[in-house]
mmCIF file of all heavy atoms in Angstrom:
data_model
loop_
_atom_site.group_PDB
_atom_site.id
_atom_site.type_symbol
_atom_site.label_atom_id
_atom_site.label_comp_id
_atom_site.label_asym_id
_atom_site.label_seq_id
_atom_site.Cartn_x
_atom_site.Cartn_y
_atom_site.Cartn_z
ATOM 1 N N GLY F 1 108.072 116.046 100.711
ATOM 2 C CA GLY F 1 109.243 116.570 101.399
ATOM 3 C C GLY F 1 109.157 116.626 102.911
ATOM 4 O O GLY F 1 110.023 117.205 103.562
ATOM 5 N N LYS F 2 108.159 115.994 103.504
ATOM 6 C CA LYS F 2 107.987 116.017 104.959
ATOM 7 C C LYS F 2 108.420 114.686 105.561
ATOM 8 O O LYS F 2 108.300 113.636 104.930
ATOM 9 C CB LYS F 2 106.531 116.289 105.310
ATOM 10 C CG LYS F 2 106.044 117.640 104.822
ATOM 11 C CD LYS F 2 104.581 117.825 105.129
ATOM 12 C CE LYS F 2 104.105 119.163 104.549
ATOM 13 N NZ LYS F 2 102.662 119.249 104.546
ATOM 14 N N PRO F 3 108.888 114.700 106.817
ATOM 15 C CA PRO F 3 109.217 113.436 107.486
ATOM 16 C C PRO F 3 107.946 112.599 107.672
ATOM 17 O O PRO F 3 106.871 113.143 107.936
ATOM 18 C CB PRO F 3 109.783 113.860 108.847
ATOM 19 C CG PRO F 3 109.872 115.330 108.838
ATOM 20 C CD PRO F 3 109.137 115.862 107.662
ATOM 21 N N LEU F 4 108.091 111.287 107.528
ATOM 22 C CA LEU F 4 106.955 110.386 107.646
ATOM 23 C C LEU F 4 107.448 109.071 108.241
ATOM 24 O O LEU F 4 108.476 108.542 107.811
ATOM 25 C CB LEU F 4 106.333 110.140 106.260
ATOM 26 C CG LEU F 4 105.136 109.212 106.157
ATOM 27 C CD1 LEU F 4 103.957 109.737 106.967
ATOM 28 C CD2 LEU F 4 104.740 109.029 104.696
ATOM 29 N N ALA F 5 106.722 108.572 109.244
ATOM 30 C CA ALA F 5 107.110 107.321 109.908
ATOM 31 C C ALA F 5 105.870 106.614 110.434
ATOM 32 O O ALA F 5 104.870 107.272 110.784
ATOM 33 C CB ALA F 5 108.061 107.609 111.064
ATOM 34 N N ILE F 6 105.937 105.289 110.526
ATOM 35 C CA ILE F 6 104.812 104.565 111.111
ATOM 36 C C ILE F 6 104.646 104.951 112.574
ATOM 37 O O ILE F 6 103.526 104.923 113.086
ATOM 38 C CB ILE F 6 104.920 103.035 110.930
ATOM 39 C CG1 ILE F 6 106.147 102.460 111.615
ATOM 40 C CG2 ILE F 6 104.871 102.652 109.465
ATOM 41 C CD1 ILE F 6 106.184 100.929 111.637
ATOM 42 N N ALA F 7 105.722 105.339 113.235
ATOM 43 C CA ALA F 7 105.642 105.756 114.634
ATOM 44 C C ALA F 7 104.767 106.996 114.816
ATOM 45 O O ALA F 7 104.302 107.275 115.930
ATOM 46 C CB ALA F 7 107.041 106.023 115.185
ATOM 47 N N ASP F 8 104.485 107.723 113.738
ATOM 48 C CA ASP F 8 103.610 108.903 113.801
ATOM 49 C C ASP F 8 102.146 108.517 113.987
ATOM 50 O O ASP F 8 101.308 109.397 114.187
ATOM 51 C CB ASP F 8 103.717 109.725 112.503
ATOM 52 C CG ASP F 8 105.103 110.287 112.262
ATOM 53 O OD1 ASP F 8 105.874 110.453 113.225
ATOM 54 O OD2 ASP F 8 105.417 110.544 111.084
ATOM 55 N N PHE F 9 101.831 107.215 113.933
ATOM 56 C CA PHE F 9 100.447 106.751 113.968
ATOM 57 C C PHE F 9 100.255 105.668 115.029
ATOM 58 O O PHE F 9 99.862 104.541 114.723
ATOM 59 C CB PHE F 9 100.031 106.237 112.584
ATOM 60 C CG PHE F 9 100.270 107.246 111.490
ATOM 61 C CD1 PHE F 9 101.407 107.175 110.699
ATOM 62 C CD2 PHE F 9 99.379 108.288 111.292
ATOM 63 C CE1 PHE F 9 101.645 108.116 109.704
ATOM 64 C CE2 PHE F 9 99.608 109.242 110.312
ATOM 65 C CZ PHE F 9 100.741 109.157 109.520
ATOM 66 N N PRO F 10 100.512 105.997 116.307
ATOM 67 C CA PRO F 10 100.389 104.987 117.365
ATOM 68 C C PRO F 10 98.952 104.488 117.486
ATOM 69 O O PRO F 10 98.001 105.248 117.338
ATOM 70 C CB PRO F 10 100.826 105.743 118.620
ATOM 71 C CG PRO F 10 100.615 107.186 118.313
ATOM 72 C CD PRO F 10 100.831 107.319 116.829
ATOM 73 N N GLY F 11 98.825 103.186 117.710
ATOM 74 C CA GLY F 11 97.521 102.584 117.916
ATOM 75 C C GLY F 11 96.685 102.401 116.670
ATOM 76 O O GLY F 11 95.549 101.934 116.748
ATOM 77 N N GLN F 12 97.234 102.738 115.514
ATOM 78 C CA GLN F 12 96.490 102.579 114.267
ATOM 79 C C GLN F 12 96.974 101.351 113.504
ATOM 80 O O GLN F 12 98.151 101.012 113.541
ATOM 81 C CB GLN F 12 96.659 103.806 113.365
ATOM 82 C CG GLN F 12 95.964 105.043 113.899
ATOM 83 C CD GLN F 12 96.022 106.178 112.910
ATOM 84 O OE1 GLN F 12 97.079 106.699 112.629
ATOM 85 N NE2 GLN F 12 94.867 106.553 112.388
ATOM 86 N N VAL F 13 96.046 100.694 112.820
ATOM 87 C CA VAL F 13 96.422 99.675 111.846
ATOM 88 C C VAL F 13 97.085 100.424 110.700
ATOM 89 O O VAL F 13 96.622 101.482 110.281
ATOM 90 C CB VAL F 13 95.187 98.888 111.351
ATOM 91 C CG1 VAL F 13 95.544 97.984 110.180
ATOM 92 C CG2 VAL F 13 94.567 98.088 112.496
ATOM 93 N N ILE F 14 98.203 99.896 110.209
ATOM 94 C CA ILE F 14 98.949 100.532 109.122
ATOM 95 C C ILE F 14 98.939 99.614 107.910
ATOM 96 O O ILE F 14 99.194 98.411 108.020
ATOM 97 C CB ILE F 14 100.425 100.791 109.521
ATOM 98 C CG1 ILE F 14 100.537 101.590 110.818
ATOM 99 C CG2 ILE F 14 101.204 101.426 108.374
ATOM 100 C CD1 ILE F 14 100.267 103.051 110.702
ATOM 101 N N VAL F 15 98.639 100.183 106.752
ATOM 102 C CA VAL F 15 98.738 99.469 105.482
ATOM 103 C C VAL F 15 99.908 100.081 104.722
ATOM 104 O O VAL F 15 99.881 101.265 104.385
ATOM 105 C CB VAL F 15 97.436 99.592 104.657
ATOM 106 C CG1 VAL F 15 97.611 98.938 103.283
ATOM 107 C CG2 VAL F 15 96.264 98.969 105.408
ATOM 108 N N LEU F 16 100.953 99.291 104.509
ATOM 109 C CA LEU F 16 102.120 99.728 103.741
ATOM 110 C C LEU F 16 102.002 99.136 102.344
ATOM 111 O O LEU F 16 101.819 97.925 102.204
ATOM 112 C CB LEU F 16 103.410 99.228 104.383
ATOM 113 C CG LEU F 16 103.700 99.696 105.806
ATOM 114 C CD1 LEU F 16 104.896 98.942 106.379
ATOM 115 C CD2 LEU F 16 103.955 101.193 105.825
ATOM 116 N N ASN F 17 102.102 99.980 101.340
ATOM 117 C CA ASN F 17 102.030 99.494 99.963
ATOM 118 C C ASN F 17 103.303 99.895 99.236
ATOM 119 O O ASN F 17 103.598 101.080 99.107
ATOM 120 C CB ASN F 17 100.805 100.057 99.239
ATOM 121 C CG ASN F 17 100.754 99.613 97.799
ATOM 122 O OD1 ASN F 17 101.090 100.360 96.897
ATOM 123 N ND2 ASN F 17 100.349 98.367 97.578
ATOM 124 N N VAL F 18 104.059 98.900 98.789
ATOM 125 C CA VAL F 18 105.298 99.126 98.044
ATOM 126 C C VAL F 18 104.941 99.248 96.569
ATOM 127 O O VAL F 18 104.300 98.355 96.007
ATOM 128 C CB VAL F 18 106.296 97.966 98.272
ATOM 129 C CG1 VAL F 18 107.589 98.237 97.528
ATOM 130 C CG2 VAL F 18 106.548 97.757 99.763
ATOM 131 N N TRP F 19 105.360 100.340 95.940
ATOM 132 C CA TRP F 19 104.983 100.624 94.567
ATOM 133 C C TRP F 19 106.082 101.389 93.849
ATOM 134 O O TRP F 19 107.036 101.854 94.453
ATOM 135 C CB TRP F 19 103.672 101.419 94.526
ATOM 136 C CG TRP F 19 103.775 102.790 95.143
ATOM 137 C CD1 TRP F 19 103.669 103.110 96.464
ATOM 138 C CD2 TRP F 19 104.034 104.021 94.466
ATOM 139 N NE1 TRP F 19 103.843 104.460 96.656
ATOM 140 C CE2 TRP F 19 104.074 105.049 95.436
ATOM 141 C CE3 TRP F 19 104.243 104.352 93.133
ATOM 142 C CZ2 TRP F 19 104.307 106.383 95.111
ATOM 143 C CZ3 TRP F 19 104.476 105.686 92.821
ATOM 144 C CH2 TRP F 19 104.496 106.677 93.796
ATOM 145 N N GLY F 20 105.910 101.534 92.551
ATOM 146 C CA GLY F 20 106.766 102.380 91.727
ATOM 147 C C GLY F 20 105.930 102.935 90.584
ATOM 148 O O GLY F 20 105.021 102.260 90.096
ATOM 149 N N SER F 21 106.229 104.139 90.142
ATOM 150 C CA SER F 21 105.448 104.752 89.062
ATOM 151 C C SER F 21 105.591 103.976 87.755
ATOM 152 O O SER F 21 104.740 104.063 86.880
ATOM 153 C CB SER F 21 105.863 106.205 88.857
ATOM 154 O OG SER F 21 107.204 106.288 88.413
ATOM 155 N N TRP F 22 106.638 103.196 87.622
ATOM 156 C CA TRP F 22 106.949 102.422 86.427
ATOM 157 C C TRP F 22 106.287 101.046 86.426
ATOM 158 O O TRP F 22 106.372 100.301 85.455
ATOM 159 C CB TRP F 22 108.466 102.244 86.331
ATOM 160 C CG TRP F 22 109.051 101.879 87.665
ATOM 161 C CD1 TRP F 22 109.600 102.727 88.582
ATOM 162 C CD2 TRP F 22 109.102 100.580 88.262
ATOM 163 N NE1 TRP F 22 109.995 102.042 89.718
ATOM 164 C CE2 TRP F 22 109.696 100.720 89.542
ATOM 165 C CE3 TRP F 22 108.698 99.324 87.846
ATOM 166 C CZ2 TRP F 22 109.889 99.641 90.403
ATOM 167 C CZ3 TRP F 22 108.899 98.247 88.704
ATOM 168 C CH2 TRP F 22 109.494 98.423 89.964
ATOM 169 N N CYS F 23 105.619 100.677 87.499
ATOM 170 C CA CYS F 23 105.105 99.317 87.719
ATOM 171 C C CYS F 23 103.666 99.180 87.199
ATOM 172 O O CYS F 23 102.751 99.829 87.702
ATOM 173 C CB CYS F 23 105.168 99.028 89.220
ATOM 174 S SG CYS F 23 104.251 97.583 89.776
ATOM 175 N N ALA F 24 103.481 98.322 86.209
ATOM 176 C CA ALA F 24 102.150 98.121 85.616
ATOM 177 C C ALA F 24 101.147 97.575 86.625
ATOM 178 O O ALA F 24 100.002 98.015 86.677
ATOM 179 C CB ALA F 24 102.254 97.181 84.410
ATOM 180 N N GLU F 25 101.558 96.601 87.447
ATOM 181 C CA GLU F 25 100.654 96.029 88.441
ATOM 182 C C GLU F 25 100.256 97.069 89.489
ATOM 183 O O GLU F 25 99.158 97.039 90.020
ATOM 184 C CB GLU F 25 101.270 94.804 89.124
ATOM 185 C CG GLU F 25 101.316 93.590 88.226
ATOM 186 C CD GLU F 25 102.681 93.435 87.553
ATOM 187 O OE1 GLU F 25 103.533 94.329 87.677
ATOM 188 O OE2 GLU F 25 102.877 92.403 86.890
ATOM 189 N N CYS F 26 101.162 98.014 89.781
ATOM 190 C CA CYS F 26 100.845 99.088 90.728
ATOM 191 C C CYS F 26 99.733 99.970 90.159
ATOM 192 O O CYS F 26 98.833 100.397 90.893
ATOM 193 C CB CYS F 26 102.084 99.933 91.023
ATOM 194 S SG CYS F 26 103.446 98.992 91.746
ATOM 195 N N ARG F 27 99.797 100.221 88.871
ATOM 196 C CA ARG F 27 98.741 101.012 88.225
ATOM 197 C C ARG F 27 97.411 100.261 88.272
ATOM 198 O O ARG F 27 96.354 100.867 88.418
ATOM 199 C CB ARG F 27 99.131 101.358 86.793
ATOM 200 C CG ARG F 27 100.240 102.409 86.741
ATOM 201 C CD ARG F 27 100.484 102.920 85.336
ATOM 202 N NE ARG F 27 101.023 101.924 84.418
ATOM 203 C CZ ARG F 27 102.310 101.612 84.302
ATOM 204 N NH1 ARG F 27 103.209 102.234 85.055
ATOM 205 N NH2 ARG F 27 102.707 100.714 83.438
ATOM 206 N N GLU F 28 97.451 98.926 88.156
ATOM 207 C CA GLU F 28 96.229 98.118 88.220
ATOM 208 C C GLU F 28 95.531 98.249 89.565
ATOM 209 O O GLU F 28 94.307 98.268 89.631
ATOM 210 C CB GLU F 28 96.551 96.638 87.995
ATOM 211 C CG GLU F 28 96.878 96.266 86.584
ATOM 212 C CD GLU F 28 97.212 94.786 86.465
ATOM 213 O OE1 GLU F 28 96.740 93.976 87.291
ATOM 214 O OE2 GLU F 28 97.951 94.445 85.537
ATOM 215 N N GLU F 29 96.298 98.293 90.648
ATOM 216 C CA GLU F 29 95.698 98.265 91.977
ATOM 217 C C GLU F 29 95.423 99.652 92.562
ATOM 218 O O GLU F 29 94.767 99.762 93.590
ATOM 219 C CB GLU F 29 96.568 97.458 92.940
ATOM 220 C CG GLU F 29 97.852 98.149 93.338
ATOM 221 C CD GLU F 29 98.669 97.389 94.374
ATOM 222 O OE1 GLU F 29 98.290 96.279 94.798
ATOM 223 O OE2 GLU F 29 99.708 97.929 94.762
ATOM 224 N N ARG F 30 95.900 100.708 91.938
ATOM 225 C CA ARG F 30 95.844 102.037 92.558
ATOM 226 C C ARG F 30 94.430 102.499 92.887
ATOM 227 O O ARG F 30 94.198 103.081 93.935
ATOM 228 C CB ARG F 30 96.566 103.061 91.710
ATOM 229 C CG ARG F 30 95.860 103.431 90.437
ATOM 230 C CD ARG F 30 96.627 104.451 89.645
ATOM 231 N NE ARG F 30 95.914 104.711 88.409
ATOM 232 C CZ ARG F 30 96.461 105.096 87.308
ATOM 233 N NH1 ARG F 30 97.766 105.285 87.257
ATOM 234 N NH2 ARG F 30 95.746 105.308 86.244
ATOM 235 N N ALA F 31 93.463 102.269 92.011
ATOM 236 C CA ALA F 31 92.087 102.706 92.292
ATOM 237 C C ALA F 31 91.507 101.941 93.479
ATOM 238 O O ALA F 31 90.816 102.525 94.331
ATOM 239 C CB ALA F 31 91.212 102.541 91.058
ATOM 240 N N ASP F 32 91.792 100.629 93.558
ATOM 241 C CA ASP F 32 91.304 99.836 94.684
ATOM 242 C C ASP F 32 91.950 100.282 95.994
ATOM 243 O O ASP F 32 91.286 100.364 97.028
ATOM 244 C CB ASP F 32 91.574 98.345 94.453
ATOM 245 C CG ASP F 32 90.566 97.707 93.510
ATOM 246 O OD1 ASP F 32 89.476 98.274 93.309
ATOM 247 O OD2 ASP F 32 90.871 96.624 92.979
#
């Protein structure tokens, strides 16, 4: 419930991961 933006992390490398709780492949990669 908090605001979140990539702009909150200046100078950092950002990893964005698109996922859904219903996605089997997302479950496969979550531990990695």
Side-chain angles (χ1 to χ4, degrees):
K2 298 177 183 167
L4 179 61
I6 62 171
D8 297 336
F9 306 98
Q12 290 186 293
V13 171
I14 306 283
V15 175
L16 299 171
N17 177 258
V18 182
W19 65 276
S21 65
W22 44 265
C23 167
E25 287 97 353
C26 300
R27 288 189 294 276
E28 286 179 26
E29 72 176 2
R30 72 180 178 208
D32 281 341

